[in-house]
């Protein structure tokens, strides 16, 4: 083979790669449709996996992994719609595979049964305790349940990592050397910002409005047109409407590919920003909805970023001038609490910057909050999920629902920032936990901790699941609820508390290992200031007589919510993935460990993981505790002033049909108190039945929108 033939075959291989990517996209859509149809068929009371499997071209195991309710009767006691345990494939011999005792599947080390959680004396009202109704006794110890062999194909169960036994694991319980969150010693600089509607061609800069002609709305056209109108230059361009990065979406198999192509298109006179000074945010950020393009003049004199205002709030229907007014109101509200407050490019950047300015300069943490070891950060990343997303489908709920009621928790995460773990973490092994008195055990479970546990659902349980378990798939979670089911997982203290002292009956929790912190308040001051800013803006949205200013104030209040929400998410510090581009003429320069995620005639776009960075503000333990608290409050939350409880576990069994992060969907309305405070359940939508039970997320969202319209809320701007 000569060089010419070699290059020609390389070109053919690239073309084949392009065809494969397009075919894979089409195949993924077909497989999703097949799974949806299998789920719908499973709702028929006489449906059988043996008939559906050949019709779908799948094995019995694959069909049951998609629709667990189709599992044979011999597995019915251990398989539920919330779990994905498969049966042996049809191609195997007819003899049944002997069930495996759960003890053979669980970690070898023994656990210690946690005591009943009895509520201590009430704390001050400003410090809400974990919520659920007290119970007097722990459940009796039950024999281990038997479960079928875990599936080994597409429905394979994930195994969560744990802390190594002995000294190797003990070494994880420390902090990263010379890395801590400290109070900044500089003043953040504001950036000149404009707001652009690329559909209408409207540009707003301060109190001026310009009309632009943007026939293609490419990055180059936007940059050159804006800098022609404003020769003095700007540093940030917020796109308020038009989503120019989606204009050629029909030419790409995935939305992310269209965004990548838009960001990396030729920009004469400009190049991709390589950063300046200590700026580590150089380069484009590829996101299917809210991407960030960072550019600099070819001479390096000017830097500018193009962003989506949708990072902050829903901009639909709002003119650029109103969106600018919203940012002005946001800035004023923040300045009331932080004299040096600056609105940065995204809510997460702004949130973390504001938080660092609340770090004490005197006292115990004047030297900052140390960052956990990389091993513990990696463990939190792998074992601490965020919001609960679950759809409960027939036959666990009726095919025709008597109604649909949506309850969404207002500014939910703000309620759970009053306490967080600080100090050097302590390891609590099963043996250590067993050596403690019941009072010490209860105190530990009330504190800020992350626990490796073996869980058994009570034999009499008839409600939704409580604790997250690793589900098949990458980083997926489900919530087992079938009586007698035993599984191993990691969970935060608030959820452990709810499982042990909920109003429906305590679960059996065996402590296998744990990470325990001292209780502290590193986020309390930050959160209180944001809550006050949110309350002030919400009041303006209610009382202002000018409709435009009411809208602006409402959007600003949503921006405060985003600052807290995404600021908390930023503490989690996921492992970084670097995105880069390489000319197709230099394909051999693509890093060998990179994954190609997009390409066009000129450019290859790739990404590769780089692990954890030395981020001084990485505190996944804080994010994990807040997320656990929020998931627990979806199930049970105490309202002291009203002397009552709210949450899914306080609804009649069988009436809960879905959870979506901060919202719960039921078949009947509830008499839960609402005072407009963070964490309160807002009755946000209502439909009278009969209503067909949703079987997909799209169907649920469609019903949700109809329910919100039907309710005709008198205060349309009062959202969570």
């Amino acid at each position: 083979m000569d060089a010419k033939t070699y290059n020609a075959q390389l070109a053919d291989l690239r073309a084949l790669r392009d065809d494969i990517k397009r075919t894979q996209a089409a195949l993924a859509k077909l497989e999703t449709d097949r799974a949806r149809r299998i789920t719908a068929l499973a709702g028929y009371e006489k449906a059988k996996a043996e008939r559906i499997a050949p019709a779908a071209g799948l094995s019995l195991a694959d069909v049951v992994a998609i629709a667990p309710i189709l599992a044979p009767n011999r597995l019915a006691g251990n398989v539920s719609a919330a779990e994905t345990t498969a049966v042996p494939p049809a191609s195997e011999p007819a003899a049944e595979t002997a069930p495996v005792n759960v003890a053979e599947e669980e970690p070898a080390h023994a656990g210690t049964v946690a005591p009943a959680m009895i509520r201590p004396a009430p704390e001050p009202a400003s410090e809400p305790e974990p919520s659920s109704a007290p119970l007097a006794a722990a459940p009796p110890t039950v024999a281990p349940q038997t479960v079928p062999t875990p599936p080994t194909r597409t429905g394979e169960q994930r195994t969560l990592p744990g802390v190594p036994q002995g000294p190797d694991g003990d070494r994880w319980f420390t902090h990263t050397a010379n890395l801590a969150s400290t109070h900044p010693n500089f003043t953040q600089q504001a950036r000149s910002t404009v707001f652009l509607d690329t559909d209408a061609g409207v540009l707003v800069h301060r109190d001026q409005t310009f009309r632009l002609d943007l026939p293609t709305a490419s990055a180059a056209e936007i940059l050159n047109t804006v800098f022609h109108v404003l020769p003095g230059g700007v540093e940030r361009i917020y796109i308020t409407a038009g989503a120019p990065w989606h204009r050629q979406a029909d030419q790409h198999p995935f939305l992310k590919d269209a965004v990548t192509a838009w960001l990396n298109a030729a920009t004469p006179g400009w190049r991709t920003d390589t950063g300046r000074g200590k700026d580590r945010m150089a380069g484009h950020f590829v996101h299917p909805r809210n991407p960030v393009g960072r550019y600099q003049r070819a001479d390096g004199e000017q830097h500018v970023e193009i962003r989506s205002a949708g990072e902050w709030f829903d901009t639909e229907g709002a003119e650029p001038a109103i969106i600018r007014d919203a940012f002005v109101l946001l800035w004023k509200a923040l300045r009331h609490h932080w004299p040096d407050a600056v609105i940065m490019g995204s809510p997460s950047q702004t949130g973390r910057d504001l938080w660092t300015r609340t770090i004490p300069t005197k006292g115990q943490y004047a030297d900052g909050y140390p960052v956990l070891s990389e091993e513990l950060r990696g463990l939190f990343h792998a074992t601490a999920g965020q919001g609960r997303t679950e759809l409960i489908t027939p036959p666990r709920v009726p095919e025709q629902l008597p109604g649909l009621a949506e309850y969404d928790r207002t500014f939910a995460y703000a309620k759970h920032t009053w306490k967080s773990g600080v100090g050097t973490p302590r390891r609590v092994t099963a043996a250590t936990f067993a050596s403690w008195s019941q009072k010490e055990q209860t105190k530990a479970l009330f504190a800020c901790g992350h626990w490796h546990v073996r869980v058994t659902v009570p034999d009499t349980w008839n409600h939704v699941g409580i604790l997250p378990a690793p589900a098949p798939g990458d980083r997926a979670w489900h919530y087992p609820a079938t009586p007698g089911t035993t599984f191993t997982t990691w969970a935060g203290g608030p959820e452990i508390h709810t499982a042990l002292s909920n109003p429906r009956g305590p679960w059996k929790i065996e402590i296998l290992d744990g990470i325990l912190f001292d209780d502290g308040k590193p986020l309390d001051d930050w959160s209180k200031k944001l809550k006050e800013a949110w309350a002030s803006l919400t009041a303006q949205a209610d009382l202002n007589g000018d409709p435009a200013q009411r809208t602006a104030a409402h959007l600003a209040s949503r921006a405060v919510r985003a600052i807290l929400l995404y600021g908390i998410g930023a503490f989690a510090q996921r492992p970084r993935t670097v995105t880069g581009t390489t000319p197709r003429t230099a394909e051999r320069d693509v890093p060998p460990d990179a994954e190609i995620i997009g390409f066009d005639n000129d450019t290859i776009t790739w990404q590769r993981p780089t692990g954890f960075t030395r981020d001084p503000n990485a505190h996944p333990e804080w994010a994990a505790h807040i997320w656990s608290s929020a998931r627990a409050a979806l199930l049970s939350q105490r309202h002291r002033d009203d002397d009552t409880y709210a949450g899914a576990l306080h609804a009649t069994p069988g009436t809960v049909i879905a959870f979506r992060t901060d919202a719960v969907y039921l078949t009947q309305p509830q008499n839960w108190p609402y005072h407009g405070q963070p964490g309160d359940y807002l009755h946000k939508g209502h439909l009278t039945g009969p209503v067909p039970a949703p079987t997909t997320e799209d169907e649920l969202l469609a019903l949700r929108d109809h329910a919100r319209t039907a309710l005709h809320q008198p205060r349309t701007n009062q959202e969570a």
Side-chain angles (χ1 to χ4, degrees):
M1 178 183 296
D2 57 20
K4 182 177 180 180
T5 303
Y6 174 77
N7 290 329
Q9 291 192 10
L10 271 181
D12 291 341
L13 185 60
R14 296 187 189 101
L16 180 61
R17 177 193 65 191
D18 296 358
D19 290 340
I20 289 173
K21 188 173 180 69
R22 283 188 285 268
T23 303
Q24 286 174 333
L27 177 62
K29 292 180 180 179
L30 291 173
E31 289 178 338
T32 300
D33 185 48
R34 178 174 63 185
R36 180 183 61 79
R37 297 187 184 200
I38 290 172
T39 302
L41 288 170
Y44 177 53
E45 61 181 358
K46 296 182 179 180
K48 293 183 178 180
E50 292 83 354
R51 291 196 62 188
I52 295 176
L58 297 173
S59 69
L60 280 176
D62 292 334
V63 169
V64 174
I66 295 171
I69 193 61
L70 295 174
N73 291 334
R74 66 185 177 87
L75 303 179
N78 294 311
V79 180
S80 75
E83 300 170 56
T84 50
T85 305
V87 297
S91 59
E92 295 184 359
E96 292 185 354
T97 302
V100 180
N101 190 282
V102 71
E104 299 174 9
E105 298 295 329
E106 305 292 355
H109 55 289
T112 301
V113 178
M117 299 285 283
I118 300 175
R119 188 181 300 279
E123 298 180 7
S126 61
E127 301 182 359
E129 65 204 50
S131 55
S132 53
L135 290 170
T141 301
V142 298
Q145 303 294 316
T146 58
V147 297
T149 304
T152 57
R153 304 188 64 186
T154 57
E156 186 173 358
Q157 192 85 6
R158 284 186 302 124
T159 300
L160 297 179
V163 182
Q165 297 298 309
D168 288 343
D170 294 339
R171 281 193 288 269
W172 290 19
F173 288 77
T174 184
H175 292 114
T176 301
N178 303 316
L179 191 64
S181 308
T182 57
H183 196 287
N185 57 4
F186 63 93
T187 301
Q188 195 68 252
Q189 297 299 310
R191 295 192 178 184
S192 175
T193 302
V194 297
F195 301 86
L196 174 63
D197 180 339
T198 58
D199 273 349
V202 176
L203 175 73
V204 173
H205 176 239
R206 298 179 180 172
D207 58 351
Q208 294 179 296
T209 299
F210 304 90
R211 296 287 176 177
L212 308 184
D213 183 20
L214 300 170
T216 66
S218 65
E221 188 175 69
I222 291 172
L223 291 169
N224 292 325
T225 305
V226 169
F227 275 77
H228 175 74
V229 172
L230 299 170
V234 297
E235 296 175 279
R236 183 177 297 136
I237 302 172
Y238 276 122
I239 305 299
T240 64
W245 38 79
H246 292 164
R247 287 200 175 184
Q248 296 183 342
D250 58 344
Q251 301 178 19
H252 299 271
F254 298 104
L255 202 57
K256 200 169 184 178
D257 291 340
V259 173
T260 300
W262 188 88
L263 289 171
N264 293 303
T267 51
W270 298 84
R271 63 178 184 232
T272 302
D273 197 347
T274 55
R276 45 181 165 167
K278 296 183 179 180
D279 182 9
R280 294 178 297 171
M281 300 301 294
H284 302 319
F285 173 64
V286 180
H287 185 280
R289 301 289 178 187
N290 298 311
V292 182
R294 299 185 177 95
Y295 304 91
Q296 64 180 128
R297 287 278 195 189
D299 57 12
E301 288 299 317
Q302 289 180 311
H303 301 253
V304 62
E305 58 183 12
I306 301 176
R307 312 187 69 108
S308 169
E311 293 180 82
W312 293 85
F313 40 68
D314 182 3
T315 63
E316 185 175 358
E319 298 177 355
I322 291 179
I323 292 176
R324 178 194 173 271
D325 289 345
F327 275 90
V328 171
L329 290 175
L330 171 64
W331 176 76
K332 289 180 178 179
L334 296 178
R335 280 275 173 147
H336 182 72
H337 301 283
W338 287 276
D340 55 351
V342 169
I343 297 177
M344 302 181 70
S346 70
S348 62
Q349 293 171 356
T350 305
R352 288 218 297 187
D353 179 69
L354 293 176
W355 172 73
T356 61
R357 298 174 192 280
T358 64
I359 297 175
T361 56
K362 298 179 180 179
Q364 182 179 3
Y365 293 101
D367 293 332
Y369 294 98
V371 173
L372 293 179
S373 68
E374 185 168 331
E375 291 83 1
L376 280 187
R377 281 182 279 151
L379 183 69
F380 273 103
H381 169 66
T383 61
Q386 191 173 352
R388 178 170 181 167
T389 300
E390 181 183 16
L391 177 62
I392 302 171
T393 57
R396 291 183 63 192
V397 296
E399 291 190 3
Q400 292 294 319
L401 306 178
L404 177 73
E406 178 192 9
Y407 288 87
D408 193 10
R409 298 186 66 226
T410 295
F411 204 10
Y413 287 179
K415 186 177 178 64
H416 306 294
T417 53
W418 63 277
K419 182 175 76 171
S420 302
V422 294
T424 302
R426 291 170 286 160
R427 183 175 191 178
V428 182
T429 64
T432 300
F433 190 83
S435 69
W436 290 348
S437 67
Q438 181 171 330
K439 182 178 180 180
E440 290 173 319
Q441 292 178 349
T442 301
K443 181 179 178 181
L445 294 175
F446 266 110
C448 295
H450 194 54
W451 301 95
H452 197 191
V453 292
R454 184 184 294 119
V455 183
T456 300
V457 183
D459 290 331
T460 57
W461 191 254
N462 66 346
H463 219 294
V464 297
I466 292 180
L467 294 175
D474 182 28
R475 290 189 58 76
W477 301 91
H478 64 167
Y479 296 81
T482 301
T485 299
T486 296
F487 60 95
T488 298
T489 190
W490 283 85
E495 289 169 290
I496 298 292
H497 170 270
T498 301
L500 290 170
S501 62
N502 69 83
R504 299 289 170 179
W507 289 28
K508 179 186 175 184
I509 307 292
E510 297 174 81
I511 303 298
L512 305 175
D513 215 340
I515 306 169
L516 190 62
F517 298 88
D518 293 332
D519 290 349
K521 295 178 174 294
L523 304 177
D524 193 45
D525 186 32
W526 173 71
S527 176
K528 284 180 178 177
K529 291 178 177 179
L530 288 177
K531 284 187 283 189
E532 289 176 11
W534 170 80
S536 171
L537 290 166
T538 300
Q540 291 184 51
D542 288 341
L543 302 175
N544 199 302
D546 183 344
Q549 287 302 301
R550 283 202 303 269
T551 300
H554 167 62
L555 294 179
S557 72
R558 300 293 290 174
V560 174
R561 174 187 179 275
I563 288 173
L564 185 134
L565 176 68
Y566 294 115
I568 291 169
F571 287 123
Q573 196 221 15
R574 307 301 187 189
R576 290 193 67 186
T577 298
V578 172
T579 302
T581 59
T582 301
R584 291 192 71 156
T585 55
E587 186 165 345
R588 66 183 64 187
D589 293 336
V590 174
D593 59 342
E595 174 191 2
I596 295 176
I597 60 173
F599 45 81
D600 55 28
N601 293 332
D602 303 313
T603 305
I604 299 171
T605 303
W606 48 264
Q607 66 180 17
R608 63 185 180 91
T610 59
F612 291 104
T613 61
R614 284 184 59 83
D615 183 352
N617 296 321
H619 294 285
E621 69 277 18
W622 299 347
H625 184 78
I626 292 169
W627 294 338
S628 177
S629 300
R631 291 193 300 267
L634 270 182
L635 300 172
S636 183
Q637 173 177 279
R638 184 184 177 190
H639 289 260
R640 283 193 185 87
D641 294 342
D642 299 277
D643 193 24
T644 188
Y645 290 86
L649 291 179
H650 300 276
T652 304
T655 61
V656 179
I657 63 169
F659 297 93
R660 276 184 61 82
T661 309
D662 300 329
V664 58
Y665 298 82
L666 308 105
T667 62
Q668 53 190 229
Q670 305 295 316
N671 188 27
W672 294 340
Y674 183 78
H675 304 295
Q677 297 300 310
D680 286 359
Y681 280 90
L682 172 63
H683 188 194
K684 206 168 182 179
H686 187 81
L687 279 178
T688 55
V691 177
T695 58
T696 66
E697 182 181 22
D698 287 343
E699 291 177 1
L700 174 66
L701 295 179
L703 285 177
R704 178 200 68 181
D705 294 342
H706 290 317
R708 290 181 178 180
T709 301
L711 187 61
H712 294 299
Q713 294 184 55
R715 297 173 68 186
T716 58
N717 60 354
Q718 188 180 51
E719 297 182 18

